[in-house]
Amino acid sequence: MAWFLLILAGILETGWAIGLKHTEGFSRLGPSLATLACMVASIGLLGLALRDLPVGTAYAIWTGIGTLGAVTLGIVLFGDPATPLRLACIGLILTGLVGLKLAG
């Protein structure tokens, strides 16, 4: 259950990272409220997951999921560059996350 909560928290971290782009400096009410809701839910779920998971592993995986999601959605939604080096670095992050899961 803790891993499910952690993965959901990471997905919500991606939501608030992408949401920040749409808030336009928190000047748009709807996107700002949605972004803040994702922030609160993400931190709350991370806190629940930390009841059963080591803090270093959980935090690294939480931020890693958020990073992977934000980079991927940046490429898909905003036309961010998808250079071979950038994609290789994303692969390294993913490899690290899988390694932390297997080692923990």
Side-chain angles (χ1 to χ4, degrees):
M1 183 64 162
W3 283 103
F4 172 76
L5 295 175
L6 182 60
I7 291 168
L8 187 55
I11 291 168
L12 287 168
E13 187 190 3
T14 299
W16 70 256
I18 295 301
L20 282 173
K21 177 88 170 163
H22 294 287
T23 68
E24 296 179 13
F26 291 102
S27 64
R28 297 178 60 212
L29 182 61
S32 295
L33 292 175
T35 298
L36 291 171
C38 283
M39 287 177 174
V40 170
S42 179
I43 293 288
L45 291 172
L46 174 63
L48 292 174
L50 285 173
R51 290 179 176 171
D52 298 317
L53 299 174
V55 67
T57 300
Y59 184 76
I61 290 177
W62 177 67
T63 58
I65 292 170
T67 301
L68 290 173
V71 170
T72 302
L73 289 176
I75 291 168
V76 172
L77 298 176
F78 305 120
D80 291 352
T83 63
L85 179 58
R86 194 171 161 123
L87 296 175
C89 290
I90 293 169
L92 290 172
I93 293 169
L94 183 59
T95 301
L97 295 179
V98 170
L100 282 171
K101 168 64 172 127
L102 294 175

Coordinates of all heavy atoms in Angstrom, one line a residue:
M1 N 0.8 -1.2 0.0 CA 0.0 0.0 0.0 C 0.9 1.3 0.0 O 0.5 2.2 -0.7 CB -0.9 0.0 1.2 CG -1.9 1.1 1.3 SD -3.0 1.1 -0.1 CE -4.3 2.1 0.5
A2 N 2.0 1.2 0.7 CA 2.9 2.4 0.8 C 3.4 2.7 -0.6 O 3.5 3.9 -0.9 CB 4.0 2.1 1.8
W3 N 3.8 1.7 -1.3 CA 4.3 2.0 -2.7 C 3.3 2.6 -3.6 O 3.6 3.5 -4.4 CB 4.9 0.7 -3.3 CG 6.3 0.4 -2.7 CD1 6.5 -0.6 -1.7 CD2 7.5 1.0 -3.0 NE1 7.9 -0.6 -1.4 CE2 8.5 0.4 -2.1 CE3 7.8 2.1 -3.8 CZ2 9.8 0.8 -2.2 CZ3 9.2 2.5 -3.8 CH2 10.1 1.8 -3.0
F4 N 2.1 2.1 -3.5 CA 1.0 2.7 -4.3 C 0.8 4.2 -3.9 O 0.7 5.0 -4.8 CB -0.3 1.9 -4.0 CG -1.5 2.6 -4.6 CD1 -1.7 2.5 -6.0 CD2 -2.4 3.3 -3.9 CE1 -2.8 3.1 -6.6 CE2 -3.5 3.9 -4.5 CZ -3.7 3.8 -5.8
L5 N 0.8 4.5 -2.6 CA 0.6 5.9 -2.2 C 1.8 6.7 -2.7 O 1.6 7.9 -3.1 CB 0.6 5.9 -0.6 CG -0.7 5.3 0.0 CD1 -0.5 5.3 1.5 CD2 -1.9 6.0 -0.5
L6 N 3.0 6.2 -2.6 CA 4.2 6.9 -3.1 C 4.1 7.2 -4.6 O 4.4 8.3 -5.1 CB 5.4 6.1 -2.8 CG 6.8 6.8 -3.2 CD1 6.9 8.1 -2.5 CD2 7.9 5.9 -2.8
I7 N 3.7 6.2 -5.4 CA 3.6 6.4 -6.8 C 2.5 7.4 -7.1 O 2.7 8.3 -8.0 CB 3.3 5.0 -7.5 CG1 4.5 4.2 -7.5 CG2 2.8 5.2 -9.0 CD1 4.3 2.7 -7.8
L8 N 1.4 7.3 -6.4 CA 0.3 8.3 -6.6 C 0.8 9.7 -6.2 O 0.5 10.7 -6.9 CB -0.9 7.9 -5.8 CG -2.2 8.8 -6.0 CD1 -2.6 8.9 -7.5 CD2 -3.3 8.2 -5.2
A9 N 1.6 9.8 -5.1 CA 2.1 11.1 -4.7 C 3.1 11.7 -5.8 O 3.1 12.9 -6.1 CB 2.9 10.9 -3.4
G10 N 3.8 10.8 -6.4 CA 4.7 11.2 -7.5 C 4.0 11.7 -8.7 O 4.4 12.7 -9.4
I11 N 2.9 11.0 -9.0 CA 2.1 11.5 -10.2 C 1.5 12.8 -9.9 O 1.4 13.7 -10.7 CB 1.0 10.4 -10.5 CG1 1.6 9.1 -11.0 CG2 -0.1 10.9 -11.4 CD1 0.7 7.9 -11.1
L12 N 1.0 13.0 -8.7 CA 0.5 14.3 -8.3 C 1.5 15.4 -8.3 O 1.3 16.6 -8.6 CB -0.2 14.2 -6.9 CG -1.6 13.5 -6.9 CD1 -2.0 13.2 -5.5 CD2 -2.6 14.3 -7.7
E13 N 2.8 15.0 -8.0 CA 3.9 16.0 -8.1 C 4.0 16.5 -9.5 O 4.3 17.6 -9.8 CB 5.2 15.4 -7.5 CG 6.2 16.5 -7.5 CD 7.6 16.0 -7.2 OE1 7.8 14.8 -7.1 OE2 8.5 16.9 -7.1
T14 N 3.9 15.5 -10.4 CA 4.0 15.9 -11.8 C 2.8 16.8 -12.2 O 3.0 17.8 -12.9 CB 3.8 14.6 -12.7 OG1 4.9 13.7 -12.5 CG2 3.8 15.0 -14.2
G15 N 1.7 16.6 -11.6 CA 0.5 17.4 -11.8 C 0.7 18.9 -11.4 O 0.4 19.8 -12.1
W16 N 1.3 19.0 -10.2 CA 1.5 20.4 -9.8 C 2.7 21.1 -10.5 O 2.7 22.3 -10.7 CB 1.6 20.5 -8.3 CG 2.8 20.0 -7.5 CD1 2.8 18.9 -6.7 CD2 4.0 20.7 -7.3 NE1 4.0 18.8 -6.1 CE2 4.8 19.8 -6.4 CE3 4.6 21.8 -7.8 CZ2 6.1 20.2 -6.0 CZ3 5.9 22.1 -7.4 CH2 6.6 21.3 -6.5
A17 N 3.7 20.3 -10.9 CA 4.8 20.9 -11.7 C 4.3 21.4 -13.0 O 4.6 22.6 -13.4 CB 5.9 19.9 -11.9
I18 N 3.5 20.6 -13.7 CA 2.9 21.1 -14.9 C 1.8 22.2 -14.7 O 1.7 23.1 -15.4 CB 2.3 19.9 -15.7 CG1 3.3 18.9 -16.1 CG2 1.5 20.4 -16.9 CD1 4.4 19.4 -17.0
G19 N 1.1 22.0 -13.6 CA 0.1 23.1 -13.2 C 0.7 24.4 -13.1 O 0.1 25.4 -13.4
L20 N 1.9 24.5 -12.5 CA 2.6 25.8 -12.3 C 2.7 26.6 -13.6 O 2.6 27.8 -13.6 CB 4.0 25.6 -11.7 CG 4.0 25.3 -10.2 CD1 5.4 25.0 -9.7 CD2 3.5 26.5 -9.4
K21 N 2.9 25.8 -14.7 CA 3.1 26.5 -16.0 C 1.8 27.2 -16.4 O 1.7 28.2 -16.9 CB 3.5 25.4 -17.0 CG 3.5 25.9 -18.4 CD 4.9 26.4 -18.7 CE 5.1 26.7 -20.2 NZ 6.2 27.6 -20.5
H22 N 0.6 26.5 -16.0 CA -0.7 27.0 -16.4 C -1.2 28.1 -15.5 O -2.2 28.8 -15.8 CB -1.7 25.9 -16.5 CG -1.4 24.9 -17.6 ND1 -1.6 25.2 -18.9 CD2 -0.9 23.7 -17.6 CE1 -1.2 24.2 -19.7 NE2 -0.8 23.2 -18.9
T23 N -0.6 28.3 -14.3 CA -1.1 29.3 -13.4 C -0.7 30.7 -13.8 O -1.3 31.7 -13.3 CB -0.6 29.1 -11.9 OG1 0.8 29.3 -11.9 CG2 -0.9 27.7 -11.4
E24 N 0.3 30.8 -14.6 CA 0.8 32.1 -15.1 C 1.2 33.0 -13.8 O 0.6 34.1 -13.7 CB -0.1 32.8 -16.0 CG -0.3 32.0 -17.3 CD -1.2 32.7 -18.3 OE1 -1.6 33.8 -18.2 OE2 -1.6 32.0 -19.3
G25 N 2.0 32.4 -13.0 CA 2.4 33.1 -11.8 C 1.3 33.2 -10.7 O 1.2 34.2 -10.0
F26 N 0.5 32.3 -10.7 CA -0.7 32.2 -9.8 C -1.7 33.4 -10.1 O -2.4 33.8 -9.2 CB -0.3 32.2 -8.3 CG 0.4 30.9 -7.9 CD1 1.8 30.8 -7.8 CD2 -0.4 29.8 -7.7 CE1 2.4 29.6 -7.5 CE2 0.2 28.6 -7.3 CZ 1.6 28.5 -7.2
S27 N -1.7 33.8 -11.3 CA -2.7 34.9 -11.7 C -4.0 34.3 -12.2 O -4.9 35.1 -12.4 CB -2.0 35.8 -12.7 OG -1.8 35.1 -13.9
R28 N -4.0 33.0 -12.5 CA -5.3 32.4 -13.0 C -5.8 31.5 -11.9 O -5.2 30.6 -11.4 CB -5.0 31.6 -14.2 CG -4.5 32.4 -15.4 CD -4.1 31.7 -16.6 NE -5.3 30.9 -17.1 CZ -5.2 29.8 -17.7 NH1 -4.0 29.2 -17.9 NH2 -6.3 29.2 -18.1
L29 N -7.1 31.8 -11.4 CA -7.6 31.1 -10.3 C -7.8 29.6 -10.4 O -7.3 28.8 -9.6 CB -9.0 31.8 -9.9 CG -9.7 31.2 -8.7 CD1 -8.8 31.4 -7.4 CD2 -11.1 31.8 -8.5
G30 N -8.4 29.1 -11.5 CA -8.7 27.7 -11.7 C -7.4 26.9 -11.7 O -7.3 25.9 -10.8
P31 N -6.5 27.2 -12.5 CA -5.2 26.4 -12.5 C -4.4 26.5 -11.2 O -3.8 25.6 -10.7 CB -4.4 27.0 -13.7 CG -5.4 27.6 -14.6 CD -6.5 28.1 -13.7
S32 N -4.5 27.7 -10.6 CA -3.9 27.9 -9.3 C -4.4 27.0 -8.2 O -3.7 26.4 -7.4 CB -3.9 29.4 -8.8 OG -3.3 30.2 -9.7
L33 N -5.8 26.9 -8.2 CA -6.4 26.0 -7.2 C -6.1 24.6 -7.4 O -5.8 23.8 -6.5 CB -7.9 26.3 -7.1 CG -8.4 27.6 -6.6 CD1 -9.9 27.8 -6.8 CD2 -8.0 27.8 -5.2
A34 N -6.1 24.2 -8.7 CA -5.8 22.8 -9.0 C -4.4 22.5 -8.7 O -4.1 21.4 -8.1 CB -6.1 22.5 -10.5
T35 N -3.5 23.4 -9.0 CA -2.1 23.2 -8.6 C -1.9 23.1 -7.1 O -1.1 22.2 -6.6 CB -1.2 24.3 -9.2 OG1 -1.4 24.3 -10.6 CG2 0.3 24.2 -8.8
L36 N -2.5 23.9 -6.4 CA -2.4 23.9 -4.9 C -3.0 22.6 -4.3 O -2.4 22.0 -3.4 CB -3.0 25.1 -4.3 CG -2.3 26.4 -4.5 CD1 -3.1 27.6 -4.0 CD2 -0.9 26.4 -3.8
A37 N -4.1 22.1 -4.9 CA -4.7 20.9 -4.5 C -3.7 19.7 -4.8 O -3.6 18.8 -3.9 CB -6.0 20.6 -5.2
C38 N -3.1 19.7 -5.9 CA -2.1 18.6 -6.2 C -0.9 18.7 -5.3 O -0.4 17.6 -4.8 CB -1.6 18.8 -7.7 SG -2.7 18.2 -8.9
M39 N -0.5 19.9 -4.9 CA 0.7 20.0 -4.0 C 0.3 19.4 -2.6 O 1.1 18.6 -2.1 CB 1.0 21.5 -3.8 CG 1.7 22.1 -4.9 SD 2.0 23.9 -4.6 CE 2.9 24.4 -6.0
V40 N -0.8 19.8 -2.1 CA -1.3 19.3 -0.8 C -1.5 17.8 -0.8 O -1.0 17.1 0.1 CB -2.6 20.0 -0.3 CG1 -3.1 19.4 0.9 CG2 -2.3 21.5 -0.1
A41 N -2.1 17.3 -1.8 CA -2.4 15.9 -1.9 C -1.0 15.1 -2.1 O -0.9 14.0 -1.4 CB -3.3 15.6 -3.1
S42 N -0.1 15.6 -2.9 CA 1.1 14.9 -3.1 C 2.0 14.9 -1.8 O 2.5 13.8 -1.5 CB 1.9 15.7 -4.2 OG 3.2 15.1 -4.4
I43 N 2.1 16.0 -1.1 CA 2.8 15.9 0.2 C 2.1 15.0 1.2 O 2.8 14.3 1.9 CB 2.9 17.4 0.7 CG1 3.8 18.2 -0.2 CG2 3.5 17.4 2.1 CD1 5.3 17.9 -0.1
G44 N 0.8 15.1 1.2 CA 0.0 14.3 2.2 C 0.3 12.8 1.9 O 0.5 12.0 2.9
L45 N 0.2 12.4 0.7 CA 0.4 11.0 0.3 C 1.9 10.6 0.6 O 2.1 9.4 1.0 CB 0.0 10.7 -1.1 CG -1.5 10.8 -1.4 CD1 -1.7 10.7 -2.9 CD2 -2.2 9.7 -0.7
L46 N 2.8 11.4 0.3 CA 4.2 11.1 0.6 C 4.3 10.9 2.1 O 5.0 9.9 2.6 CB 5.1 12.3 0.2 CG 6.6 12.1 0.6 CD1 7.2 10.9 0.0 CD2 7.3 13.4 0.2
G47 N 3.7 11.7 2.9 CA 3.8 11.6 4.4 C 3.2 10.2 4.8 O 3.8 9.6 5.7
L48 N 2.1 9.8 4.2 CA 1.5 8.5 4.5 C 2.4 7.4 4.1 O 2.6 6.4 4.9 CB 0.1 8.3 3.9 CG -1.0 9.2 4.4 CD1 -2.2 9.1 3.5 CD2 -1.3 9.0 5.9
A49 N 3.1 7.5 3.0 CA 4.0 6.4 2.5 C 5.2 6.3 3.4 O 5.7 5.2 3.6 CB 4.4 6.7 1.0
L50 N 5.6 7.4 4.0 CA 6.8 7.4 4.8 C 6.6 6.7 6.1 O 7.5 6.4 6.9 CB 7.2 8.9 5.2 CG 7.9 9.6 4.0 CD1 8.2 11.0 4.4 CD2 9.2 8.9 3.6
R51 N 5.3 6.3 6.4 CA 5.1 5.5 7.6 C 5.8 4.2 7.5 O 6.2 3.6 8.5 CB 3.6 5.3 7.8 CG 2.8 6.5 8.3 CD 1.4 6.1 8.4 NE 0.6 7.2 8.9 CZ -0.7 7.2 8.9 NH1 -1.4 6.2 8.5 NH2 -1.4 8.2 9.4
D52 N 5.9 3.6 6.2 CA 6.4 2.3 6.0 C 7.6 2.2 5.2 O 8.3 1.2 5.1 CB 5.3 1.4 5.3 CG 4.1 1.3 6.2 OD1 4.2 1.0 7.4 OD2 3.0 1.4 5.7
L53 N 8.0 3.3 4.5 CA 9.2 3.3 3.6 C 10.3 4.2 4.2 O 10.1 5.2 4.9 CB 8.8 3.8 2.3 CG 7.7 3.1 1.5 CD1 7.3 3.8 0.2 CD2 8.2 1.7 1.2
P54 N 11.6 3.8 3.9 CA 12.7 4.7 4.3 C 12.6 6.0 3.7 O 12.3 6.1 2.5 CB 13.9 3.9 3.8 CG 13.5 2.5 3.5 CD 12.0 2.6 3.2
V55 N 12.9 7.1 4.4 CA 12.7 8.4 3.9 C 13.6 8.7 2.7 O 13.1 9.4 1.7 CB 13.0 9.5 5.1 CG1 14.5 9.5 5.5 CG2 12.6 10.9 4.6
G56 N 14.8 8.3 2.7 CA 15.7 8.5 1.5 C 15.2 7.9 0.3 O 15.2 8.5 -0.8
T57 N 14.8 6.7 0.4 CA 14.2 6.0 -0.8 C 12.9 6.6 -1.3 O 12.7 6.9 -2.5 CB 14.0 4.5 -0.5 OG1 15.3 3.9 -0.1 CG2 13.4 3.7 -1.6
A58 N 12.0 6.8 -0.3 CA 10.7 7.4 -0.7 C 10.9 8.8 -1.3 O 10.2 9.1 -2.3 CB 9.8 7.4 0.5
Y59 N 11.7 9.6 -0.7 CA 11.9 11.0 -1.3 C 12.5 10.9 -2.6 O 12.0 11.7 -3.5 CB 12.7 11.8 -0.3 CG 12.8 13.3 -0.8 CD1 11.7 14.1 -0.6 CD2 14.0 13.7 -1.4 CE1 11.8 15.4 -1.1 CE2 14.0 15.0 -1.8 CZ 13.0 15.9 -1.7 OH 13.1 17.2 -2.1
A60 N 13.5 10.1 -2.8 CA 14.1 10.0 -4.1 C 13.2 9.5 -5.2 O 13.1 10.0 -6.3 CB 15.4 9.1 -4.1
I61 N 12.4 8.5 -4.9 CA 11.4 8.0 -5.8 C 10.3 9.0 -6.1 O 9.9 9.2 -7.2 CB 10.9 6.7 -5.4 CG1 12.0 5.6 -5.5 CG2 9.6 6.2 -6.2 CD1 11.7 4.2 -5.0
W62 N 9.8 9.7 -5.1 CA 8.8 10.7 -5.2 C 9.3 11.8 -6.2 O 8.6 12.2 -7.1 CB 8.5 11.3 -3.9 CG 7.5 12.4 -3.8 CD1 6.2 12.4 -4.1 CD2 7.7 13.8 -3.4 NE1 5.6 13.6 -3.9 CE2 6.5 14.5 -3.5 CE3 8.8 14.4 -2.9 CZ2 6.4 15.8 -3.1 CZ3 8.7 15.8 -2.6 CH2 7.5 16.4 -2.7
T63 N 10.5 12.4 -5.9 CA 11.0 13.4 -6.8 C 11.3 12.9 -8.2 O 11.2 13.6 -9.2 CB 12.2 14.1 -6.2 OG1 13.2 13.1 -6.0 CG2 11.9 14.8 -4.9
G64 N 11.8 11.6 -8.2 CA 12.1 11.0 -9.5 C 10.9 10.9 -10.4 O 10.9 11.2 -11.6
I65 N 9.8 10.4 -9.8 CA 8.6 10.3 -10.6 C 8.1 11.6 -11.1 O 7.7 11.8 -12.2 CB 7.5 9.6 -9.8 CG1 7.8 8.1 -9.5 CG2 6.1 9.7 -10.5 CD1 6.9 7.4 -8.5
G66 N 8.2 12.6 -10.2 CA 7.8 14.0 -10.6 C 8.7 14.5 -11.7 O 8.2 15.2 -12.6
T67 N 10.0 14.3 -11.6 CA 10.9 14.7 -12.6 C 10.6 14.0 -14.0 O 10.5 14.7 -15.0 CB 12.3 14.4 -12.2 OG1 12.6 15.1 -11.0 CG2 13.3 14.8 -13.3
L68 N 10.5 12.7 -13.9 CA 10.2 12.0 -15.2 C 8.9 12.5 -15.8 O 8.8 12.7 -17.0 CB 10.1 10.5 -14.9 CG 11.5 9.8 -14.6 CD1 11.2 8.4 -14.2 CD2 12.4 9.9 -15.8
G69 N 7.9 12.6 -15.0 CA 6.6 13.1 -15.5 C 6.6 14.5 -16.1 O 6.1 14.7 -17.2
A70 N 7.3 15.4 -15.4 CA 7.4 16.8 -15.8 C 8.2 16.9 -17.1 O 7.8 17.6 -18.0 CB 8.0 17.7 -14.7
V71 N 9.3 16.1 -17.2 CA 10.1 16.2 -18.4 C 9.3 15.6 -19.6 O 9.3 16.1 -20.7 CB 11.4 15.4 -18.2 CG1 12.2 15.3 -19.5 CG2 12.3 16.2 -17.2
T72 N 8.7 14.4 -19.4 CA 7.9 13.8 -20.4 C 6.8 14.7 -20.9 O 6.6 14.9 -22.1 CB 7.4 12.4 -19.9 OG1 8.5 11.6 -19.5 CG2 6.6 11.7 -21.0
L73 N 6.0 15.2 -20.0 CA 4.9 16.1 -20.4 C 5.4 17.4 -21.0 O 4.7 18.0 -21.9 CB 4.0 16.4 -19.2 CG 3.2 15.1 -18.7 CD1 2.3 15.5 -17.5 CD2 2.2 14.7 -19.9
G74 N 6.6 17.9 -20.5 CA 7.1 19.1 -21.2 C 7.4 18.8 -22.6 O 7.2 19.7 -23.5
I75 N 7.9 17.6 -22.9 CA 8.2 17.3 -24.3 C 6.9 17.1 -25.1 O 6.8 17.7 -26.2 CB 9.0 15.9 -24.4 CG1 10.5 16.2 -23.8 CG2 9.1 15.4 -25.8 CD1 11.2 14.9 -23.6
V76 N 6.0 16.4 -24.5 CA 4.7 16.1 -25.2 C 3.8 17.4 -25.4 O 3.3 17.7 -26.4 CB 3.9 15.0 -24.5 CG1 2.6 14.8 -25.1 CG2 4.7 13.7 -24.6
L77 N 3.6 18.1 -24.3 CA 2.7 19.2 -24.3 C 3.3 20.6 -24.7 O 2.6 21.4 -25.3 CB 2.1 19.4 -22.9 CG 1.3 18.2 -22.3 CD1 0.9 18.5 -20.9 CD2 0.1 17.9 -23.2
F78 N 4.5 20.8 -24.4 CA 5.1 22.1 -24.6 C 6.2 22.2 -25.6 O 6.8 23.2 -25.8 CB 5.6 22.7 -23.2 CG 4.6 22.7 -22.2 CD1 4.7 22.0 -21.0 CD2 3.4 23.4 -22.3 CE1 3.8 22.0 -20.0 CE2 2.4 23.4 -21.3 CZ 2.6 22.7 -20.2
G79 N 6.5 21.0 -26.2 CA 7.5 21.0 -27.3 C 9.0 21.2 -26.7 O 9.8 21.7 -27.5
D80 N 9.2 20.8 -25.5 CA 10.5 20.9 -24.9 C 11.4 19.9 -25.8 O 10.9 19.0 -26.3 CB 10.6 20.4 -23.5 CG 9.9 21.4 -22.5 OD1 9.5 22.5 -23.0 OD2 9.7 21.1 -21.3
P81 N 12.7 20.2 -25.8 CA 13.6 19.4 -26.7 C 13.7 18.0 -26.2 O 13.7 17.7 -25.0 CB 14.9 20.1 -26.6 CG 14.9 21.0 -25.5 CD 13.4 21.3 -25.2
A82 N 13.7 17.0 -27.1 CA 13.9 15.6 -26.8 C 15.2 15.1 -27.5 O 15.2 14.2 -28.3 CB 12.7 14.8 -27.3
T83 N 16.3 15.7 -27.1 CA 17.6 15.3 -27.7 C 18.0 14.0 -27.2 O 17.5 13.5 -26.1 CB 18.6 16.4 -27.3 OG1 18.8 16.4 -25.9 CG2 18.2 17.8 -27.8
P84 N 18.9 13.3 -27.9 CA 19.3 12.0 -27.4 C 20.0 12.1 -26.0 O 19.7 11.2 -25.2 CB 20.4 11.6 -28.5 CG 19.9 12.3 -29.7 CD 19.4 13.6 -29.2
L85 N 20.8 13.1 -25.7 CA 21.4 13.2 -24.4 C 20.3 13.4 -23.3 O 20.4 12.8 -22.3 CB 22.4 14.4 -24.4 CG 23.1 14.6 -23.0 CD1 23.8 13.4 -22.6 CD2 24.0 15.8 -23.1
R86 N 19.3 14.2 -23.6 CA 18.2 14.4 -22.7 C 17.5 13.1 -22.4 O 17.2 12.8 -21.2 CB 17.3 15.5 -23.2 CG 16.4 16.1 -22.2 CD 15.7 17.3 -22.9 NE 14.5 17.5 -22.1 CZ 14.2 18.7 -21.6 NH1 15.0 19.7 -21.7 NH2 13.1 18.9 -20.9
L87 N 17.2 12.4 -23.4 CA 16.5 11.1 -23.3 C 17.3 10.1 -22.5 O 16.8 9.3 -21.7 CB 16.0 10.6 -24.6 CG 15.0 11.4 -25.4 CD1 14.8 10.9 -26.8 CD2 13.7 11.6 -24.6
A88 N 18.6 10.1 -22.8 CA 19.5 9.2 -22.0 C 19.5 9.6 -20.6 O 19.5 8.7 -19.7 CB 20.9 9.3 -22.6
C89 N 19.5 10.8 -20.2 CA 19.5 11.2 -18.8 C 18.2 10.8 -18.2 O 18.2 10.4 -17.0 CB 19.7 12.7 -18.7 SG 21.4 13.2 -19.1
I90 N 17.1 10.9 -18.9 CA 15.8 10.4 -18.4 C 15.9 8.9 -18.1 O 15.4 8.4 -17.0 CB 14.7 10.7 -19.3 CG1 14.4 12.2 -19.4 CG2 13.4 10.0 -18.9 CD1 13.5 12.7 -20.6
G91 N 16.5 8.2 -19.0 CA 16.8 6.8 -18.8 C 17.6 6.5 -17.5 O 17.3 5.5 -16.8
L92 N 18.6 7.3 -17.3 CA 19.4 7.1 -16.1 C 18.6 7.4 -14.8 O 18.7 6.6 -13.8 CB 20.6 8.1 -16.1 CG 21.7 7.8 -17.1 CD1 22.7 8.9 -17.2 CD2 22.4 6.4 -16.8
I93 N 17.7 8.4 -14.8 CA 16.8 8.6 -13.7 C 15.9 7.4 -13.4 O 15.8 6.9 -12.3 CB 16.0 9.9 -13.9 CG1 16.9 11.1 -13.9 CG2 15.0 10.0 -12.8 CD1 16.2 12.4 -14.3
L94 N 15.3 6.9 -14.5 CA 14.5 5.7 -14.4 C 15.2 4.5 -13.9 O 14.7 3.8 -13.0 CB 13.8 5.4 -15.8 CG 12.8 4.3 -15.8 CD1 11.7 4.5 -14.8 CD2 12.3 4.1 -17.2
T95 N 16.4 4.3 -14.4 CA 17.3 3.2 -13.9 C 17.6 3.4 -12.4 O 17.5 2.4 -11.6 CB 18.6 3.2 -14.7 OG1 18.3 3.0 -16.0 CG2 19.5 2.0 -14.2
G96 N 17.8 4.6 -11.9 CA 18.1 4.8 -10.5 C 16.8 4.5 -9.7 O 17.0 3.9 -8.6
L97 N 15.7 4.9 -10.2 CA 14.4 4.6 -9.4 C 14.2 3.1 -9.3 O 13.8 2.6 -8.2 CB 13.3 5.3 -10.1 CG 13.3 6.8 -10.1 CD1 12.1 7.3 -10.9 CD2 13.4 7.4 -8.8
V98 N 14.4 2.4 -10.4 CA 14.2 1.0 -10.3 C 15.2 0.3 -9.4 O 14.9 -0.5 -8.6 CB 14.3 0.3 -11.8 CG1 14.3 -1.2 -11.7 CG2 13.1 0.8 -12.6
G99 N 16.4 0.8 -9.4 CA 17.5 0.3 -8.5 C 17.1 0.6 -7.1 O 17.3 -0.3 -6.2
L100 N 16.6 1.7 -6.7 CA 16.2 2.0 -5.4 C 15.1 1.1 -4.9 O 15.1 0.6 -3.8 CB 15.8 3.5 -5.2 CG 16.9 4.5 -5.1 CD1 16.3 5.9 -5.2 CD2 17.7 4.3 -3.9
K101 N 14.2 0.8 -5.8 CA 13.1 -0.1 -5.4 C 13.6 -1.5 -5.2 O 13.2 -2.2 -4.2 CB 12.0 -0.1 -6.6 CG 11.0 -1.2 -6.5 CD 10.1 -1.1 -5.2 CE 9.0 -2.1 -5.3 NZ 8.9 -2.9 -4.1
L102 N 14.5 -2.0 -6.1 CA 15.0 -3.3 -5.9 C 15.9 -3.4 -4.7 O 16.0 -4.5 -4.1 CB 15.8 -3.7 -7.2 CG 14.9 -3.9 -8.5 CD1 15.8 -4.1 -9.7 CD2 13.8 -4.9 -8.3
A103 N 16.6 -2.4 -4.4 CA 17.6 -2.4 -3.3 C 16.9 -2.3 -1.9 O 17.4 -2.7 -0.9 CB 18.6 -1.3 -3.4
G104 N 15.6 -1.7 -1.9 CA 15.0 -1.4 -0.7 C 14.1 -2.6 -0.2 O 13.7 -2.7 0.9

